[in-house]
Amino acid sequence: TARVAGVPIIIEVLGQADGIGTEAYNRQLSQRRAEYFQRLFATQTGGAVTFKAIGLGVTATGGDTPAQRSVSFRVLVEVQR
């Protein structure tokens, strides 16, 4: 595990979803989205960094059009120390 000043680095991969569908569906969708990127990032770093996938469900609404909703389904990355 990568460390800074002896402290392990944990990177949280936060999945989000738009407001279409049920709360349960969006929670699962955001979790799957986070897990996909967790696997991708872990592969790219060769396991040197610890990643934690978290599905947030619906966190914001961009609006009703597909272009507006697209800002709501995303993945955020936060470094925890």
Side-chain angles (χ1 to χ4, degrees), residues 6-47:
V7 177
I9 297 174
I10 299 172
I11 299 178
E12 292 183 346
V13 182
L14 309 171
Q16 297 181 345
D18 65 16
I20 304 300
T22 66
E23 183 178 334
Y25 172 79
N26 283 311
R27 174 71 62 179
Q28 293 171 351
L29 175 63
S30 65
Q31 182 67 35
R32 287 193 312 269
R33 189 169 282 142
E35 289 171 355
Y36 171 83
F37 282 95
Q38 174 192 27
R39 287 189 303 274
L40 178 68
F41 295 150
T43 300
Q44 297 297 315
T45 62

Side-chain angles (χ1 to χ4, degrees), residues 9-15 34-35 37-38 41 49-56 75-81:
I9 297 174
I10 299 172
I11 299 178
E12 292 183 346
V13 182
L14 309 171
E35 289 171 355
F37 282 95
Q38 174 192 27
F41 295 150
V49 178
T50 300
F51 293 92
K52 181 179 179 183
I54 301 170
L56 299 175
V75 173
L76 305 173
V77 177
E78 294 184 357
V79 177
Q80 304 296 315
R81 290 183 24 184

